[in-house]
Amino acid sequence: MATIQTRAIPKSYSLPQASGAKIASPSTSRLLPTGPAFVSHLRLTKHHGHSFDAHDDFVEKERQRWEELQASAINGEDDLGVGDEPETDDLLSLDPKEWKKHDYYAVLGLSHLRYKATPEQIKIAHRKKVLKHHPDKKVTTTSTPQSTSSLLQGLNLNTNDDAFFKCIQKAHEVLTNPEKRRQYDSVDHELVEQQEDTPTAASFKSKKTDFFKAFGPVYEREARFSRKQPVPMLGDVDASKEHVEGFYDFWYNFDSWRSFEWLDKEVNEGSDNRDDKRYTEKKNKSERARRKKEDTARLRQIVDLTLSLDPRIKRIKQEEKEAREAKKAAKSAPASGTVTPKKTKEQEEEEKRKKEEEEKVAKAEAKKAKAAAANAAKKARRAARAAEEAGGVNGSA
Amino acid sequence: MTSTPPAAESTIPAVVGINFGNSFASIAVFTKEGLAECIANEDGERQIACAVSFFGEEMYIGNQAKNQLVKNSKNTIVGFRNLLGKKFSEIPQSQATTSAPVIQHPDIPDEPAYKVEVLQPAPSPLPTSNVNTPAASSAPTPRSEPIPTQRILSVSEVTVIFLKSLLQSAQDFLGKPIQGAVITVPSHFTDVQKDALEKAASEAGVKVYQLLEEAAAVASTTTTEAWSPNLSTDRTQLVVDVGASSLHLSLLSLRQGLAHVLASHSQENDPTVGGDAIDSKLITFFANEFTKKTKTPLSVCQPTPASTADARAEAKLRLAVEHTKRTLSASPGAATCSVESLKDGLDFTGSVNRMRFDMLARPIYTSISSSISQLLEKANVDPTQVDEIVYVGGTTCLPGLDEHICLDGGFSEGINTPFTMGTVVGGGIGDPATVLARGCALQAALIESLLSSSSDQEKELLKAFNRTTELSEAKVTSKTLGLLFPDGEERLEGDNLGGTFVPVILKETTLPARRSITFDVQLSDESKRFAFELWEVSEGIRVEKVKPPKVELSDAEEDEEEEEEEEIETKHKTISKETLLGAAEGEAKLGIQAKGGSASANKAGLGKWTSTMEATVVVTEKGAVEVVVKEVGKDGVEIKLSVSAP
């Protein structure tokens, strides 16, 4: 709007007295029912009681809501939370020949999701990486820095140009194939690293860390291997008896899909020797079985350790005892009437005796639990052996 | 009044705007860019002829059907929109038509219908089996010839067929099913006709969100920001809608997006106005050329065609001049018209330049502009008070028409038309052929957004788009309201208001209204005092017979307009004070002294003290006025003035 300029009022100017006049009475008209302004007018008159302030508030709120909607539409729909991970030089200089040792999730930029990544996310992540690293694009992007380097380097880079792209393709191939992905997830680098610092009885005692903080994550990462989902977690101090019992029951009968084919030794490619092949296969098989056994034993150990350190077991015992006592008291109460405070000595003695008894019971129960665990382990071993034999028969057949 | 967030959405609303005229239709949808765009049908036509034609087993819709008017006119149906919802007895029978005649429906009493001859596919031969085929032949049994039959189509059936094809085009463009549509209706449509149209649309498979009157569809487009970023949001607009055989004029008052009709005028089926009339003039011209060149008599545009050859030649020419008119609109040079085998196997090529064409079309131009003058007279609005002319319809793309209207109508020189804004060509937003469809699409998206909102309050607003609603009733101011800054100077010419008048709320502004303006106030040197008066004024036109002396007044309201060159009559917009509503004064705190007196200041020494003020005027629905004048900046002075409701 062009600025309007007024002139100064004369010195002699005096304010005219308001005559009390009103504006000419408004006439009635029919608006054309069209356009956003019409809707605004309706809102103003119908909902906001003709108040411009209320209407302004409303418009502002609508605008904010709109912006939020826009923002969420952009973030939510596009990449399902795949996001963008920085690519380190180490990652970019991976050798595609060493593909077995790669971290495929890192290659695809999914290291924050790992085994939790859904097939859709893997697809999106792969597409993103391909768009960035396709050799067709590299030609233009890498040619400029190459020109500054020496000829030899340039040649080297050229031959290695699509190395990372090959890694991406390999990673995509593995992660999109459910069987291959299972094998890979079984021996995921990150997991193996984490498993190395599982707390032992000695380390737990020396560090005096919180029981739940120490063991909670362990179970969380082992849970992925369960064929049965969802997996009961460790829980917290106040977990109910049912939960604790269910937890140990589940983990003593843990049904794992973890397998170790990924670590198989390659059959020597060059040789056509059947004996050679068979030998390697046999070796691989036994190695797989050994690893599986080790893994089962390892998990068993962890569960044993947890059970022995679990503070809730003690609590539950205590509760059971109290319940029993309460029952007894309820039985004896109507006979004796009010409890006399004089019999303190007798009571103390009784309590001592009971404590001792309970400790005995607890020990016995722990023994029982151990025996049961051993039994279960035996069973598992037997089952594994049977499965292997069956597999062997199938394989040879 | 601030408008709601733009209709552009991340997901394109699956709505369509349909301009359903009697002769041509157009469809608009939202594109990926979030703009309402007029789209082409499968034939690549943005202006889709309202015609349905039957030829043998085939059915043609749109411009292909229109071409059938030459050879297959008896089976071609045109002009059905206006008959929608009418009884057979209401339709005048006198008009001679070249297309399929309207007849009484044989089964339904008093129902207009069309009879067309079609070929019905013969029933498929019996399935061959081992039982009924004695000698197996390797060749399949040829299908029998299709059987010629007659098909009776009621007007609403034809409409359904046509609307279906429009919707199909829109659906193909969007790639998803259409949720709803807004369709234009002419203002003369009765409720019965509107019902019939709604029914036809729902049979065609789309929910009608609103039947929008053509003037409203125009307002829907022209109140968007994309239409005119430079025009004021408060303006008076003249809509000139020239159809093929009709003329609609509406005078709209736009006040910050709210529109209401001041006066309207419509002529239907009038042979003296519209595109067909211009076509007839042009055809007659070319037919005479043809006769001159080939010595073959050809008479066209007669009430009864002299021969079938003449009738066919006329139909051919009618199709050909369409192209000629488009060429004339687009380029300043001459345009050709070529018809192969116009009559007796003779080809024809003729050309017409713009000047000759305008001469031919002058009677129609004159008739339109006189209608405009009548309308303005009826509305008691002077041509100079019209701020903008909006053209609707393909015929209005003719530059000659624009020139004629602007000169003949006595509009001010600075009037905005799509031609002065340069939006006619290029198929942009100002393209007269697409304005209505765009408006409908915008409106459809607006209603869609209300429908999708979760709150009941918003849903309640939808009632406003029903036909019988009281929600569109509104109170409007009857006089212009403004602030007067007195300066005590006597003026010899113009309005002697005794100060600078700043109009704030124009007349016909819908209540409640709120307007803000910003301006620089000059303060008195000693006391930094300023004062303002709130006045109600009436606007008038003063006609002077003599050329006024060239005096430049600072008053923004005083634009001088010359009407026509021959006359020395000039028109001035005048303002006369009517009622003083109140006055207030105050002392500015944030005054700034300009460095050095400017030439116009005409005072020695230092410049003047000025301060920037923002005035907000609110008029409630009852008529109470509240004025707040505030200095722009921190700690500025604030003065309030309120006037109670009448």
Side-chain angles (χ1 to χ4, degrees):
Chain A
M1 188 196 273
T3 50
I4 302 160
Q5 292 201 329
T6 66
R7 299 187 195 187
I9 52 164
K11 278 174 201 168
S12 58
Y13 178 78
S14 65
L15 210 61
Q17 282 304 305
S19 57
K22 315 283 193 245
I23 65 164
S25 56
S27 55
T28 311
S29 167
R30 220 180 162 84
L31 293 171
L32 291 174
T34 176
F38 177 66
V39 177
S40 294
H41 172 75
L42 287 180
R43 284 197 191 112
L44 182 65
T45 51
K46 300 288 160 201
H47 298 159
H48 303 130
H50 301 94
S51 155
F52 278 103
D53 295 338
H55 186 68
D56 284 349
D57 288 350
F58 172 79
V59 169
E60 180 59 25
K61 266 186 204 151
E62 277 288 287
R63 199 185 56 75
Q64 281 173 3
R65 195 179 61 85
W66 177 258
E67 276 176 4
E68 276 169 24
L69 232 148
Q70 293 285 85
S72 70
I74 288 162
N75 295 333
E77 279 174 8
D78 260 350
D79 63 352
L80 300 167
V82 170
D84 223 10
E85 281 183 2
E87 291 161 346
T88 58
D89 287 342
D90 283 350
L91 193 66
L92 290 175
S93 58
L94 284 177
D95 184 359
K97 282 175 193 151
E98 301 273 291
W99 59 272
K100 273 237 163 174
K101 292 173 188 162
H102 292 171
D103 181 351
Y104 297 135
Y105 290 112
V107 169
L108 290 187
L110 287 167
S111 33
H112 61 294
L113 291 164
R114 300 208 81 88
Y115 68 98
K116 284 174 191 153
T118 62
E120 286 80 31
Q121 285 171 326
I122 291 170
K123 198 173 160 190
I124 287 164
H126 174 242
R127 193 167 293 160
K128 272 189 179 179
K129 290 286 169 185
V130 166
L131 281 175
K132 204 171 162 192
H133 293 287
H134 197 276
D136 288 358
K137 295 208 165 171
K138 286 268 152 148
V139 173
T140 50
T141 50
T142 52
S143 61
T144 34
Q146 266 174 40
S147 60
T148 56
S149 63
S150 72
L151 190 69
L152 195 70
Q153 266 177 328
L155 274 173
N156 266 343
L157 274 173
N158 238 351
T159 52
N160 209 21
D161 210 0
D162 55 350
F164 189 61
F165 181 69
K166 280 180 186 159
C167 296
I168 292 167
Q169 293 302 76
K170 191 70 204 175
H172 181 244
E173 186 196 318
V174 170
L175 294 185
T176 48
N177 182 334
E179 177 57 26
K180 281 187 182 167
R181 190 177 173 195
R182 188 178 63 80
Q183 293 177 2
Y184 174 73
D185 279 347
S186 297
V187 293
D188 193 343
H189 302 66
E190 200 194 48
L191 175 78
V192 174
E193 273 168 35
Q194 283 174 349
Q195 276 175 347
E196 274 165 15
D197 46 65
T198 304
T200 58
S203 72
F204 181 73
K205 268 175 195 160
S206 65
K207 277 183 194 167
K208 288 196 174 178
T209 44
D210 180 38
F211 171 79
F212 297 98
K213 269 184 194 160
F215 287 97
V218 175
Y219 285 99
E220 261 165 47
R221 76 176 174 247
E222 296 294 338
R224 71 176 83 166
F225 295 121
S226 175
R227 274 189 230 269
K228 273 185 242 160
Q229 296 284 356
V231 179
M233 284 298 153
L234 191 56
D236 53 8
V237 192
D238 306 320
S240 67
K241 188 185 158 195
E242 286 76 29
H243 179 267
V244 175
E245 281 174 352
F247 171 77
Y248 284 110
D249 190 42
F250 184 92
W251 283 94
Y252 271 123
N253 299 307
F254 193 76
D255 187 7
S256 167
W257 51 257
R258 196 174 184 187
S259 67
F260 295 90
E261 285 97 333
W262 197 258
L263 303 173
D264 281 358
K265 281 207 177 87
E266 294 284 319
V267 178
N268 200 354
E269 292 252 335
S271 83
D272 279 339
N273 193 337
R274 219 189 294 167
D275 289 341
D276 225 18
K277 259 185 197 168
R278 276 198 195 146
Y279 176 72
T280 324
E281 266 172 26
K282 207 179 163 191
K283 267 213 142 176
N284 278 341
K285 212 197 232 166
S286 62
E287 191 71 358
R288 260 180 250 160
R290 187 186 63 78
R291 286 206 167 98
K292 181 79 183 171
K293 211 193 258 174
E294 269 178 12
D295 186 54
T296 321
R298 182 189 58 84
L299 187 65
R300 174 83 44 206
Q301 268 181 357
I302 295 171
V303 181
D304 281 347
L305 181 64
T306 320
L307 183 67
S308 66
L309 295 171
D310 197 337
R312 295 173 301 182
I313 298 288
K314 275 181 199 161
R315 195 205 70 210
I316 289 164
K317 296 278 156 61
Q318 181 74 20
E319 276 172 6
E320 274 173 358
K321 190 192 81 188
E322 273 166 20
R324 242 178 287 139
E325 256 177 47
K327 243 185 190 177
K328 252 186 207 170
K331 265 183 195 173
S332 58
S336 65
T338 50
V339 181
T340 48
K342 287 173 188 173
K343 290 180 180 176
T344 43
K345 265 194 180 178
E346 278 177 23
Q347 272 185 344
E348 273 176 16
E349 273 175 14
E350 228 178 31
E351 270 178 17
K352 262 186 189 174
R353 233 178 292 144
K354 267 186 190 167
K355 254 188 193 171
E356 277 166 14
E357 267 173 24
E358 268 156 23
E359 271 168 15
K360 269 182 198 170
V361 171
K363 270 180 192 170
E365 266 187 351
K367 256 186 193 173
K368 262 187 208 167
K370 258 192 183 172
N375 248 352
K378 249 186 217 170
K379 251 189 214 170
R381 253 173 271 148
R382 226 177 288 146
R385 224 177 292 144
E388 267 164 39
E389 270 164 20
V393 168
N394 284 342
S396 58
Chain B
M1 217 172 283
T2 37
S3 63
T4 46
E9 283 182 39
S10 55
T11 51
I12 306 158
V15 291
V16 62
I18 301 176
N19 166 32
F20 186 29
N22 193 34
S23 310
F24 284 92
S26 50
I27 41 179
V29 296
F30 272 83
T31 57
K32 282 175 196 140
E33 291 80 37
L35 297 167
E37 278 290 347
C38 192
I39 57 166
N41 68 356
E42 301 87 81
D43 303 333
E45 286 289 339
R46 283 193 164 73
Q47 295 299 299
I48 303 155
C50 291
V52 179
S53 179
F54 295 87
F55 183 70
E57 290 177 73
E58 301 285 322
M59 179 168 75
Y60 300 98
I61 296 166
N63 302 51
Q64 289 183 339
K66 214 183 172 203
N67 291 341
Q68 296 276 329
L69 277 172
V70 177
K71 276 190 166 174
N72 188 21
S73 57
K74 288 291 166 221
N75 288 330
T76 304
I77 303 167
V78 294
F80 49 87
R81 199 235 16 209
N82 280 354
L83 307 183
L84 199 62
K86 281 200 175 171
K87 296 212 181 317
F88 182 71
S89 50
E90 291 170 346
I91 300 165
Q93 294 295 306
S94 57
Q95 291 155 320
T97 52
T98 50
S99 59
V102 184
I103 58 154
Q104 160 68 40
H105 197 285
D107 301 327
I108 311 160
D110 216 10
E111 169 85 8
Y114 298 98
K115 185 167 75 182
V116 289
E117 296 193 347
V118 295
L119 289 179
Q120 200 179 44
S124 52
L126 286 171
T128 53
S129 70
N130 292 331
V131 183
N132 66 2
T133 41
S137 152
S138 60
T141 316
R143 235 176 131 87
S144 327
E145 288 290 305
I147 313 152
T149 51
Q150 285 183 342
R151 194 170 161 190
I152 305 287
L153 288 155
S154 70
V155 171
S156 66
E157 277 169 347
V158 177
T159 313
V160 170
I161 291 171
F162 185 72
L163 286 178
K164 251 186 197 163
S165 84
L166 293 184
L167 290 169
Q168 189 59 45
S169 303
Q171 196 165 321
D172 290 348
F173 185 89
L174 287 176
K176 51 185 172 183
I178 303 294
Q179 297 296 320
V182 169
I183 307 178
T184 54
V185 284
S187 48
H188 62 79
F189 252 40
T190 59
D191 277 346
V192 182
Q193 286 184 294
K194 286 178 185 172
D195 285 341
L197 179 57
E198 256 179 9
K199 193 163 157 276
S202 69
E203 269 178 53
V206 72
K207 189 179 182 315
V208 179
Y209 283 165
Q210 190 183 10
L211 290 178
L212 204 57
E213 281 195 12
E214 277 155 4
V218 172
S220 178
T221 314
T222 55
T223 51
T224 56
E225 215 165 284
W227 175 264
S228 55
N230 304 322
L231 288 180
S232 156
T233 49
D234 295 330
R235 60 186 191 267
T236 309
Q237 194 176 53
L238 176 70
V239 180
V240 181
D241 178 355
V242 184
S245 58
S246 62
L247 171 69
H248 297 285
L249 302 171
S250 327
L251 192 63
L252 303 181
S253 127
L254 304 186
R255 299 285 181 261
Q256 288 207 346
L258 287 169
H260 60 100
V261 182
L262 295 176
S264 66
H265 166 88
S266 84
Q267 273 166 274
E268 276 290 329
N269 287 328
D270 193 329
T272 60
V273 291
D276 283 350
I278 295 177
D279 280 358
S280 297
K281 297 276 177 198
L282 201 54
I283 288 166
T284 318
F285 171 75
F286 282 133
N288 290 340
E289 287 267 286
F290 178 74
T291 315
K292 230 187 273 172
K293 272 185 186 167
T294 62
K295 309 280 186 291
T296 313
L298 174 62
S299 70
V300 290
C301 300
Q302 305 296 323
T304 48
S307 66
T308 46
D310 279 5
R312 201 169 275 186
E314 186 186 332
K316 276 183 182 172
L317 272 172
R318 213 169 264 285
L319 292 175
V321 293
E322 183 72 36
H323 180 74
T324 315
K325 281 201 296 182
R326 279 175 201 230
T327 316
L328 278 169
S329 303
S331 67
T336 58
C337 172
S338 310
V339 182
E340 259 182 42
S341 177
L342 181 60
K343 196 185 175 186
D344 299 344
L346 293 164
D347 295 352
F348 170 70
T349 303
S351 79
V352 64
N353 62 14
R354 208 177 249 188
M355 181 101 89
R356 171 60 63 93
F357 177 79
D358 286 343
M359 230 169 72
L360 290 170
R362 184 162 285 271
I364 292 112
Y365 290 172
T366 314
S367 141
I368 292 172
S369 73
S370 69
S371 292
I372 291 173
S373 301
Q374 278 169 21
L375 175 84
L376 294 176
E377 210 167 288
K378 195 171 83 183
N380 201 15
V381 171
D382 193 85
T384 52
Q385 286 173 327
V386 178
D387 302 302
E388 188 191 10
I389 301 178
V390 177
Y391 291 123
V392 178
T395 307
T396 53
C397 291
L398 293 166
L401 179 65
D402 174 60
E403 272 168 37
H404 193 89
I405 288 175
C406 287
L407 281 178
D408 224 32
F411 294 104
S412 62
E413 273 175 8
I415 194 159
N416 289 290
T417 72
F419 287 90
T420 59
M421 292 194 287
T423 51
V424 178
V425 285
I429 193 164
D431 186 350
T434 64
V435 168
L436 291 176
R438 273 174 214 269
C440 286
L442 287 166
Q443 182 72 0
L446 179 71
I447 297 176
E448 171 82 13
S449 73
L450 285 180
L451 272 173
S452 61
S453 105
S454 50
S455 77
D456 291 336
Q457 278 199 336
E458 298 287 282
K459 292 240 161 71
E460 195 189 313
L461 296 179
L462 289 170
K463 283 183 201 156
F465 301 112
N466 291 343
R467 244 178 288 149
T468 51
T469 179
E470 295 308 308
L471 285 173
S472 59
E473 296 272 343
K475 287 252 190 308
V476 295
T477 55
S478 39
K479 295 253 166 62
T480 300
L481 214 62
L483 298 178
L484 179 75
F485 293 88
D487 52 15
E489 279 177 38
E490 289 288 319
R491 289 192 179 86
L492 295 171
E493 303 90 14
D495 336 302
N496 196 1
L497 296 173
T500 313
F501 183 74
V502 185
V504 186
I505 293 190
L506 301 185
K507 65 176 177 184
E508 290 135 16
T509 301
T510 312
L511 297 179
R514 177 178 60 180
R515 295 286 189 279
S516 294
I517 49 165
T518 315
F519 47 84
D520 293 336
V521 174
Q522 204 180 95
L523 311 166
S524 57
D525 292 338
E526 309 82 27
S527 59
K528 314 284 174 290
R529 195 167 74 112
F530 73 98
F532 64 91
E533 296 166 10
L534 181 66
W535 279 92
E536 221 176 31
V537 298
S538 63
E539 286 145 333
I541 294 291
R542 184 163 45 92
V543 182
E544 275 185 5
K545 283 287 176 193
V546 282
K547 223 176 166 102
K550 287 262 178 198
V551 177
E552 285 301 321
L553 294 165
S554 63
D555 198 331
E557 278 304 298
E558 289 224 338
D559 296 328
E560 44 179 337
E561 268 88 28
E562 290 182 30
E563 197 198 38
E564 274 185 64
E565 283 171 15
E566 301 91 50
E567 294 175 34
I568 26 165
E569 187 179 82
T570 54
K571 286 184 174 181
H572 293 277
K573 281 185 183 173
T574 60
I575 291 168
S576 52
K577 292 198 240 181
E578 293 254 323
T579 335
L580 175 68
L581 296 170
E585 62 178 337
E587 266 180 48
K589 290 179 185 160
L590 304 171
I592 301 161
Q593 191 170 29
K595 284 267 171 72
S598 61
S600 64
N602 208 13
K603 273 181 187 165
L606 281 164
K608 291 166 176 178
W609 286 89
T610 57
S611 179
T612 309
M613 304 264 177
E614 188 186 14
T616 306
V617 180
V618 174
V619 184
T620 66
E621 76 284 3
K622 297 266 165 51
V625 189
E626 181 147 325
V627 186
V628 178
V629 177
K630 228 186 191 168
E631 269 189 292
V632 176
K634 223 175 132 199
D635 303 326
V637 71
E638 187 177 315
I639 303 166
K640 278 188 187 170
L641 176 67
S642 46
V643 181
S644 59

